[in-house]
Amino acid sequence: MVDIDLVNLRFDGRRLVRREPAAPTLLLIGLPPQHVLEEIPQQPEGTTAPIGMTKAFTSGASQLVFSVPPEVDSLELSLDSLLDWERLVPMTVPVVQPGTSHTGLPGSIVEFPTRLFLTYDEPVNWTCPPEPHTADGRTGLWHALLSSERGGDALLRALRRAEERAPVPVDVPLTAANLEDLVTLTSRTELIDAAGAPIVLPSAPLRAEQFIATPMGASAHLHGAWEKVSGGAATQLTSIRRNKPDLAAYDHITGLGRDQFVRVVTRGFLSTGHPALLVREVKRLFVADRDGGVVAHLRREDRIIVREPEVRYGENTGFAHQGREMPFSTLRITDRVTPLLNNSDWSVGDSDHAQPEAPKGFWVELEGGERDHRFTVVATDHEGRKVSFTTPLVFVPASRADKWEELHELYSASETGVRERVRRPLDGQVMAMAKPPADAPGSTSHAVGKLQFEMEQKTDTGDHPLAGTLVVSGGDVRVPALEPFTRKAGDVPVKFNDTYRDQGMAAHPARAYLDLVDTVGLQFAADKVGGLARPNAAVKTITSQAGVVPDVFGNDPTAEIKNALDAAKLLGFIDLGPLLGSIEKQQLDRLKQLGDQEIQALLDDAAGTIPAPVLRVRDLADGAGRELRYVWKTKLAAPKPGEQPFPLDVSRTVLTLDARTVVSKDAGQKTSIEGRLRDVALEIADVVRVEIADLRFKAAPGNKPDVSASGLEMKFLGDLRFVDTLRSALPADAFGSGAFVDVQPSGIRTGYALALPAIGIGVFSLTNVSLKAELAIPFDADKAIAFRFSVSERHRPFNVTVSLFGGGGHLSVLVDAEKGIREVEGAIQFGGGAALNLGVASGGVTIMAGVQFEVKDNLVKVGGYLRCNGFLNVLGIVTVSVEFYLELTYEKQGNVSVVRGRGTLTVSVKIAFFSKSVSLGLERSFPGAPGDPTFVDCFDKETHWEDYCLAFEGDP
């Protein structure tokens, strides 16, 4: 039951006396194991019965050391005398400070609980009954009661934990990290950091309200509570490779060495930064087994207690962007205590490391499955407005608070279920997404559908307990300014503007704070723009000053404008993006100052410009509706080679657009647009150069579009330069008042058509000559601008006569900006004739020849002919006429070409009242490139060739 060893005592025949009077005289009492460490079995959902067998581990033996005081000369050699410890002095293990050595005397060491060695922190007394107590036929168990020397609670301290033993592989009430914390907080050993400085820790002993040692184990009630480790002590502990203690409180109740109740309270933080406590309670439950008996097992219950319900945010609180990424000034958690937690995923067993690690952070899940506990949070925005929502949170032990990688991994979007955990619904509550300017209260408020949270690494400076700060990366919000003008109604996904996050709202020219995740296009119908330019605004940035605008305020404003105007077209077919010149940031600074008067002044000023599109959304007077105004006046720059399908001269071009859309309850949506394009020139297919001095367009609701053009001039290039020679015969204002401009729903058609008067000089005669030039600008972006020039027409050719010879012809060319030359058609014919009358006989002869050609789409056709006629009349009785016709044509359509020849000879004879005509004809055709598929076209070399070759194999 109890082992007793004597030091410096001998038996003189009657009593135990000292061997050496000056030497220490000790009694060493060996006690059996005082604690049994039991496994906490996993509980099936909805039951309390244990599953199968559970594991248990006993502690090692304990040793009590007593010193015989000098006034006691001798001891009786009896059990009662040796167990009378009240007259002896209990010996403790002295605190060994740095620079001192141990006295060498043994001290009392009690292993309780298992793997933790305790000793006294102040003088104590042990009280043992002289003999067992007997009552009602039952004899009490021998025991020894520990108490303070002054009576009351005994104070204990932990010396060390049993590192040399094998680790415990199951879930137990106290982890190795808990035991290590007890040693750090109670040992009273002064620690020195790596630099030689003392480490100040909140050390306090354990209080033993009851500790009774028995042969079957101790019946004890221990309690301890400690302040948090503050200052630089945590860093000092890390320098000597010791863990920062998380332990805040500890209670332990046992009966005869078996655990009845264990409470371990560890410090930590919720991922919002709220200080919290993880309370682990292990209780012994008594349940009936299948055989009708009673089985006692341990059950573990975990809860989290929020110590400080409210946390404040702002500058110097650890945020990388001075708190701009957190739209709340405070977060208050109303849950003070959580329900029972699911502890199966994050509980840890023992560790054989010299410094065991505390468990990592974990998502707070409720008992009974993977179901998050949603903390109720009341948040205060930057305007003092309160909103509430629920959210799952992570609990991080205090000793793991500086582990950024662990915290980042928990909030990583790749983790299962994290995406739903970090997207929290606010169900339309109105809040300020950013702190509004002093002169524009409420300008940053939105009805919020959801908020998107993420974990961002904390800066080196700032008062925040965790290595990461929980921030709002975006969300789904209502943007009322857009809803009347786009199909996207309701919540739209947003994120914080980069300039706002990095530098603040004042650094942005338009005071932006949010960006739309998906750019929203505000499109004006093409038929309302007149082909001048499509003012389709791709808006992205939400500002407190200018509403929702295109994102032209980034690091490269020119690129941003080009992206915003990705679908914009000039004259219905020219990409507008490549024509934009570079824009300096300082040019954008004045945009936030532009009011309606300043905008109109710049539109009226010939030299004034508005460098970037300005979008304004305003409420009309008396609540009549809302107006969206899109204004832009910019100079264009020469495109780079290859950016446009044809040469374009925009060196002096100015483009002006002013579009307004009014949405009202009574009149619906009405759009009016004014546009102007000055000093632009383009060359089409190296055939013609078109110069436009001023092109204006205006469309108002209920009115026909009004288009006017002035200074329109066309100059021929290349092989058609000779046409300019003909133009010299035209009046000087042929392209002024003589030009025409026709506006149709399909586009603008402009040009001229003029017939020349007959010209006769001697034997020369030129008649029926007309010139026509036409430019078509379609409103439909799928169609290209087209130009057609013609000299006379097929159905009305010009005629030329010189003496006995004559002829005629026509020519027309159609080109567009997309395909170049689309159609070329022309013909020329010539010939002569002679007649002779001798009275008795008369006759005549004519010869005509001609060439015609046609190029249209994929058809090419070239042909020539020769026609000869002759007749002879004798006395009006006999008439003989002969006609010879020969024709040769070449046609090619696609890959098929053919040459055709045709000849006819017709002889007619008329005698008095009898006539006879005979015709002889011959026609031949010669194919060119064959149209049938070739052998190669019919075979797939990879799949057919081998089969083809095998078909010819055979026996020799």
Side-chain angles (χ1 to χ4, degrees):
M1 181 179 71
V2 175
D3 295 331
I4 302 177
D5 290 332
L6 305 177
V7 177
N8 195 33
L9 286 173
R10 63 181 178 83
F11 183 62
D12 62 359
R14 292 183 308 106
R15 299 175 64 86
L16 294 172
V17 298
R18 286 183 172 88
R19 292 179 181 275
E20 297 180 12
T25 303
L26 306 175
L27 268 67
L28 278 63
I29 309 297
L31 298 177
Q34 296 296 300
H35 184 253
V36 178
L37 182 65
E38 295 182 49
E39 176 188 6
I40 304 173
Q42 294 295 324
Q43 302 294 325
E45 185 176 354
T47 67
T48 57
I51 301 176
M53 303 293 292
T54 59
K55 298 179 180 180
F57 308 85
T58 61
S59 65
S62 298
Q63 175 181 275
L64 304 182
V65 179
F66 296 93
S67 173
V68 179
E71 61 270 17
V72 179
D73 296 331
S74 62
L75 299 174
E76 293 182 4
L77 184 59
S78 65
L79 186 60
D80 290 343
S81 176
L82 294 177
L83 295 179
D84 184 9
W85 299 337
E86 292 187 60
R87 58 177 178 159
L88 304 179
V89 179
M91 299 290 291
T92 184
V93 176
V95 177
V96 179
Q97 302 296 345
T100 63
S101 60
H102 197 277
T103 60
L105 295 177
S108 299
I109 298 178
V110 179
E111 185 176 349
F112 184 92
T114 303
R115 301 178 299 155
L116 184 67
F117 299 110
L118 303 178
T119 190
Y120 321 128
D121 193 56
E122 66 174 11
V124 296
N125 284 329
W126 284 95
T127 303
C128 299
E131 58 183 25
H133 179 70
T134 302
D136 299 329
R138 297 181 178 181
T139 301
L141 184 67
W142 175 88
H143 60 276
L145 175 64
L146 175 67
S147 62
S148 171
E149 187 179 48
R150 301 181 302 273
D153 300 346
L155 301 184
L156 306 175
R157 54 188 175 88
L159 296 174
R160 60 183 177 86
R161 63 183 182 91
E163 300 174 3
E164 68 277 3
R165 297 183 187 173
V168 178
V170 294
D171 187 18
V172 293
L174 288 171
T175 67
N178 298 148
L179 299 178
E180 188 66 26
D181 286 353
L182 286 171
V183 174
T184 302
L185 294 172
T186 67
S187 65
R188 292 205 299 118
T189 300
E190 184 176 337
L191 300 177
I192 304 298
D193 66 9
I199 303 175
V200 179
L201 297 174
S203 180
L206 285 171
R207 289 185 173 274
E209 298 180 9
Q210 173 184 288
F211 195 96
I212 302 175
T214 75
M216 298 183 65
S219 295
H221 183 180
L222 302 184
H223 169 71
W226 300 271
E227 297 294 330
K228 67 178 181 179
V229 176
S230 59
T235 304
Q236 291 177 294
L237 288 172
T238 303
S239 70
I240 59 174
R241 297 185 179 182
R242 297 191 64 143
N243 294 331
K244 173 185 175 182
D246 293 335
L247 197 61
Y250 165 60
D251 286 278
H252 202 151
I253 299 176
T254 61
L256 299 180
R258 304 290 296 275
D259 291 331
Q260 306 300 316
F261 176 82
V262 181
R263 177 191 287 125
V264 177
V265 181
T266 55
R267 288 186 177 85
F269 303 91
L270 297 177
S271 48
T272 52
H274 289 78
L277 299 174
L278 173 61
V279 180
R280 177 194 304 167
E281 292 183 349
V282 179
K283 303 175 182 179
R284 185 170 297 279
L285 300 181
F286 295 85
V287 297
D289 64 5
R290 298 176 182 177
D291 300 329
V294 177
V295 177
H297 69 278
L298 298 178
R299 173 174 170 79
R300 173 175 163 185
E301 297 178 350
D302 297 325
R303 296 178 178 83
I304 288 178
I305 299 176
V306 181
R307 293 184 60 198
E308 299 180 16
E310 185 170 286
V311 171
R312 295 187 174 274
Y313 302 114
E315 297 182 4
N316 302 319
T317 54
F319 290 96
H321 304 284
Q322 298 184 0
R324 287 184 290 272
E325 61 271 60
M326 172 56 75
F328 301 117
S329 58
T330 64
L331 287 182
R332 183 178 184 84
I333 295 179
T334 62
D335 308 65
R336 300 306 299 271
V337 181
T338 67
L340 293 180
L341 305 183
N342 173 29
N343 52 46
S344 60
D345 292 337
W346 59 270
S347 59
V348 295
D350 204 347
S351 173
D352 57 353
H353 294 93
Q355 285 294 312
E357 292 186 347
K360 297 180 180 180
F362 58 89
W363 285 99
V364 180
E365 297 176 350
L366 299 181
E367 187 181 39
E370 296 184 359
R371 182 167 61 92
D372 292 323
H373 173 65
R374 298 179 179 178
F375 290 84
T376 300
V377 179
V378 178
T380 304
D381 68 8
H382 292 294
E383 290 191 309
R385 189 184 296 107
K386 295 186 181 297
V387 296
S388 63
F389 57 94
T390 62
T391 180
L393 294 175
V394 167
F395 177 83
V396 182
S399 60
R400 315 292 295 183
D402 58 345
K403 307 296 183 182
W404 160 245
E405 293 79 8
E406 296 176 5
L407 194 58
H408 178 67
E409 181 180 0
L410 286 168
Y411 270 89
S412 173
S414 62
E415 293 294 319
T416 304
V418 171
R419 187 174 300 276
E420 293 301 321
R421 282 169 166 165
V422 299
R423 286 183 60 84
R424 305 314 309 154
L426 265 69
D427 301 322
Q429 297 179 79
V430 177
M431 58 167 285
M433 292 296 292
K435 187 176 182 179
D439 57 349
S443 58
T444 61
S445 296
H446 297 268
V448 180
K450 289 185 178 181
L451 284 182
Q452 175 85 26
F453 290 91
E454 70 176 22
M455 189 60 63
E456 186 177 80
Q457 190 169 9
K458 186 188 75 169
T459 58
D460 294 336
T461 59
D463 183 16
H464 191 78
L466 299 177
T469 55
L470 191 63
V471 303
V472 175
S473 60
D476 299 337
V477 306
R478 292 282 298 274
V479 186
L482 290 178
E483 293 182 357
F485 310 103
T486 180
R487 296 178 182 178
K488 291 188 176 182
D491 298 337
V492 294
V494 298
K495 62 180 181 179
F496 282 108
N497 178 268
D498 292 338
T499 302
Y500 167 74
R501 280 170 60 96
D502 296 339
Q503 305 176 45
M505 192 181 298
H508 195 281
R511 297 183 181 178
Y513 57 98
L514 290 178
D515 284 341
L516 300 175
V517 174
D518 301 318
T519 302
V520 175
L522 304 180
Q523 298 186 353
F524 298 90
D527 59 350
K528 297 180 180 179
V529 184
L532 185 63
R534 286 192 174 191
N536 297 342
V539 295
K540 181 179 181 180
T541 304
I542 303 176
T543 71
S544 63
Q545 180 73 21
V548 187
V549 299
D551 188 12
V552 297
F553 305 100
N555 294 328
D556 188 354
T558 302
E560 298 294 349
I561 294 177
K562 291 181 179 180
N563 293 334
L565 300 172
D566 182 54
K569 300 289 185 179
L570 183 68
L571 296 176
F573 67 95
I574 302 174
D575 291 333
L576 187 56
L579 303 180
L580 299 180
S582 60
I583 299 175
E584 302 297 333
K585 287 188 176 181
Q586 55 266 27
Q587 293 180 279
L588 302 176
D589 293 338
R590 61 177 179 173
L591 293 185
K592 65 180 181 181
Q593 308 295 338
L594 292 181
D596 290 341
Q597 294 181 355
E598 290 81 6
I599 290 175
Q600 192 59 46
L602 290 174
L603 294 177
D604 296 337
D605 184 2
T609 61
I610 302 175
V614 175
L615 197 69
R616 293 287 190 268
V617 179
R618 67 184 182 94
D619 294 321
L620 299 179
D622 301 327
R626 298 177 67 86
E627 179 192 68
L628 169 68
R629 187 180 186 187
Y630 178 98
V631 184
W632 191 23
K633 184 180 181 183
T634 183
K635 293 182 179 180
L636 302 184
K640 296 180 180 178
E643 288 184 335
Q644 297 295 343
F646 47 83
L648 190 65
D649 183 3
V650 291
S651 58
R652 298 181 300 162
T653 302
V654 177
L655 173 65
T656 303
L657 291 175
D658 188 359
R660 301 171 187 251
T661 296
V662 176
V663 177
S664 61
K665 297 180 180 179
D666 300 332
Q669 180 171 316
K670 294 183 179 181
T671 300
S672 61
I673 299 176
E674 294 185 22
R676 186 179 182 184
L677 185 65
R678 293 186 297 160
D679 298 323
V680 64
L682 59 152
E683 297 178 6
I684 302 175
D686 295 329
V687 173
V688 66
R689 174 183 173 90
V690 181
E691 297 180 354
I692 304 174
D694 196 354
L695 179 63
R696 297 178 182 237
F697 177 84
K698 183 176 182 180
N703 297 325
K704 181 180 179 180
D706 180 16
V707 179
S708 62
S710 62
L712 180 63
E713 185 176 359
M714 289 176 282
K715 298 179 180 180
F716 295 95
L717 307 173
D719 295 337
L720 293 182
R721 287 184 183 273
F722 73 92
V723 179
D724 284 331
T725 304
L726 296 178
R727 289 181 56 191
S728 62
L730 299 175
D733 61 347
F735 289 90
S737 59
F740 65 86
V741 176
D742 184 21
V743 179
Q744 300 293 335
S746 59
I748 302 174
R749 189 172 63 90
T750 181
Y752 70 92
L754 187 64
L756 296 180
I759 302 174
I761 304 175
V763 296
F764 174 81
S765 175
L766 177 63
T767 62
N768 213 27
V769 177
S770 65
L771 298 180
K772 186 176 181 180
E774 181 178 332
L775 179 68
I777 302 176
F779 292 160
D780 189 351
D782 295 332
K783 298 180 180 180
I785 187 172
F787 170 75
R788 186 177 187 274
F789 171 77
S790 64
V791 179
S792 298
E793 298 288 350
R794 177 193 297 180
H795 59 277
R796 191 180 179 185
F798 62 85
N799 297 319
V800 179
T801 303
V802 180
S803 185
L804 298 177
F805 302 96
H810 68 276
L811 174 66
S812 64
V813 179
L814 175 64
V815 297
D816 67 21
E818 181 179 356
K819 298 182 179 179
I821 299 177
R822 289 181 51 187
E823 180 180 342
V824 179
E825 181 183 17
I828 188 170
Q829 57 185 356
F830 51 89
L836 181 64
N837 191 346
L838 300 176
V840 178
S842 64
V845 62
T846 62
I847 300 176
M848 292 294 296
V851 178
Q852 60 183 7
F853 58 91
E854 180 181 359
V855 178
K856 184 177 182 180
D857 296 330
N858 62 345
L859 172 65
V860 177
K861 185 176 181 181
V862 180
Y865 73 93
L866 173 66
R867 179 185 289 115
C868 299
N869 289 307
F871 73 95
L872 177 64
N873 185 282
V874 180
L875 298 175
I877 299 174
V878 178
T879 302
V880 179
S881 64
V882 179
E883 180 184 45
F884 174 76
Y885 179 80
L886 180 63
E887 179 184 88
L888 183 65
T889 62
Y890 170 79
E891 293 184 14
K892 182 178 181 181
Q893 186 164 12
N895 295 324
V896 180
S897 61
V898 62
V899 177
R900 291 187 178 90
R902 182 167 63 93
T904 60
L905 176 62
T906 303
V907 179
S908 298
V909 178
K910 181 180 180 182
I911 302 175
F913 299 103
F914 172 80
S915 65
K916 181 67 175 178
S917 178
V918 179
S919 295
L920 300 176
L922 179 65
E923 183 174 349
R924 291 288 185 270
S925 63
F926 306 94
D932 296 332
T934 65
F935 178 81
V936 176
D937 294 333
C938 298
F939 266 77
D940 185 343
K941 295 180 180 179
E942 295 182 358
T943 58
H944 296 161
W945 179 250
E946 184 177 355
D947 295 338
Y948 176 78
C949 294
L950 290 176
F952 292 92
E953 288 187 354
D955 296 332

